[in-house]
């Protein structure tokens, strides 16, 4: 199944996609794989929050324990 990931974004889709090109190139990965991760983790919602952990955002990042105490 092909998903048109950009259709789920709000805001400047062209700018977002260009940034994804840059990030994917720096990481040496396929941009579509990164979009797929975002879709699976948050359904492309940058304000997504996991109900059972502290994970947030498009890729559901979590703060590391060593940095949490500094906040």
């Amino acid at each position: 199944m092909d998903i048109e990931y950009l259709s789920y974004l709000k805001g400047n889709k062209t700018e977002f996609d260009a940034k994804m090109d840059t990030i994917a190139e720096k990481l040496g990965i396929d941009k579509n794989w990164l979009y797929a991760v975002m879709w699976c983790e948050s359904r492309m919602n940058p304000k997504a929050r996991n109900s059972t952990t502290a994970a947030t955002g498009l890729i559901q990042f979590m703060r590391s324990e060593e940095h949490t105490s500094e906040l």
Side-chain angles (χ1 to χ4, degrees), residues 10-60:
K10 296 178 181 170
N12 190 333
K13 296 174 186 186
T14 303
E15 184 179 337
F16 188 89
D17 195 50
K19 185 66 173 180
M20 290 289 287
D21 285 330
T22 302
I23 292 168
E25 185 177 329
K26 284 182 180 181
L27 294 173
I29 61 174
D30 184 316
K31 171 179 70 175
N32 292 310
W33 180 83
L34 192 52
Y35 272 121
V37 170
M38 289 179 184
W39 173 255
C40 290
E41 293 291 337
S42 67
R43 295 298 190 253
M44 304 301 289
N45 177 3
K47 295 181 180 179
R49 292 187 174 268
N50 186 296
S51 62
T52 59
T53 69
T56 61
L58 290 169
I59 304 179
Q60 294 293 287

